[in-house]
Amino acid sequence: MRFHKYHALGNDYIVMDPADFPGWSAPTTEQTRVICHRNFGAGSDGILWGPLPTQRAQFGLRIFNPDGSEAEKSGNGLRIFSRYLYDQKKVTTAPFTVDTPGGVVNVVIAPGGQLLTIDMGHVSFDSAKIPVVGAPREVLQEKIQILDREFIFTAATIGNPHCVIPLPTVSPELAHRYGPHLETHANFPRKTNVQFLQVLDRANIRIEIWERGAGYTLASGSSSSASAAVAHKLGLVDRKVTVHMPGGQIGIEIGDNFSIRMTGPVTRVAEGTLHPELFTTKV
Ligand SMILES: N[C@@H](CCC[C@H](N)C(=O)O)C(=O)O
């Protein structure tokens, strides 16, 4: 049961190749929770289960959050999975495609594998696609009361849901205090990722992130994509945006119809073996 660990700006993932896990159809919720646990397991912000067979692309991928929930898409996860394929010599620097539950993406790896560019798909603000409860609409600058504060949010999807809250200044404390309540708010039938957004100028934004099923993370590719798209939708930034996060920066280019091209790094961390004894612990 070999695993491969990478991080993308401190948002770390464990790659589990089904070829190394005979008899497994996918990690169960219990297995995912203990593998990802920072004390009782190998520790990570999620599991990347692939490559899987697919008719829609060259490689299939499933993405699991540390709480065991499955995500439709992960920007950092896609860069890490693509780097794994490169390290395993299953791909080169020629473009290739990866199929996720949130859609098919196109990947280009720079020589050496440390920098990758991914066409993430199109961002939508459509309540039915995100989803957000209420009448069909674009969810732009709506009010929401969380604990002692009323926030103005814009919701978006790039395959997975996002709630973006622009503020004059943002902080990790904001994400920790209000993120969990926004993540599980009844507005969002499939829960949501949360970003507190500070616009630095028309080419730079800062976000603090609370992820669905993962909590506070140092970086997020889908959050970067959604936040940059929301800032552009609201007229606050141009089409080329650097997203600044505690773990580092991701480059976002916004095309027609809010298509998103994301460029960012991946760092190789470790390879190892999961021991069966790991699964005797319940977390
Ligand atoms: N960190 C990822 C997002 C992972 C999925 C997210 N937690 C969700 O449940 O949608 C990224 O880099 O996009």
Side-chain angles (χ1 to χ4, degrees), residues 11 13 65 71 73-77 160 193 211-212 219-223:
N11 183 213
Y13 278 88
N65 290 314
K73 194 171 282 186
S74 166
N76 285 339
N160 58 349
N193 298 285
E211 281 196 34
R212 178 181 62 169
S220 169
S222 60
S223 296

Side-chain angles (χ1 to χ4, degrees), residues 25 36 46 174 269:
S25 58
C36 294
L174 261 175
V269 175

Side-chain angles (χ1 to χ4, degrees), residues 71-133:
E72 303 85 348
K73 194 171 282 186
S74 166
N76 285 339
L78 277 160
R79 293 204 317 278
I80 287 171
F81 178 64
S82 299
R83 169 67 190 274
Y84 168 74
L85 294 173
Y86 179 84
D87 291 338
Q88 300 303 312
K89 302 192 184 333
K90 294 180 186 287
V91 298
T92 65
T93 54
F96 59 93
T97 54
V98 178
D99 181 12
T100 70
V104 175
V105 301
N106 191 71
V107 182
V108 176
I109 301 178
Q114 279 90 3
L115 194 67
L116 297 89
T117 295
I118 297 186
D119 290 331
M120 288 282 286
H122 294 73
V123 168
S124 172
F125 309 95
D126 180 342
S127 59
K129 294 181 179 175
I130 297 168
V132 181
V133 300

Side-chain angles (χ1 to χ4, degrees), residues 176-215:
H176 282 96
R177 175 166 170 72
Y178 299 102
H181 300 279
L182 286 157
E183 174 196 357
T184 58
H185 193 280
N187 263 13
F188 307 103
R190 293 169 63 177
K191 302 182 184 179
T192 187
N193 298 285
V194 182
Q195 300 85 27
F196 295 92
L197 162 66
Q198 180 180 349
V199 178
L200 304 175
D201 58 41
R202 294 198 62 83
N204 292 276
I205 62 174
R206 175 188 172 191
I207 60 174
E208 287 287 349
I209 304 152
W210 183 269
E211 281 196 34
R212 178 181 62 169

Side-chain angles (χ1 to χ4, degrees), residues 125 137-144 151-155 164-166 230 233-236:
F125 309 95
R137 70 203 185 277
E138 284 197 328
V139 186
L140 308 177
Q141 297 183 286
E142 298 188 5
K143 293 179 181 176
I144 188 168
F151 292 108
I152 303 296
F153 77 95
T154 293
V164 182
I165 298 175
V230 165
K233 179 77 171 182
L234 299 179
L236 303 174

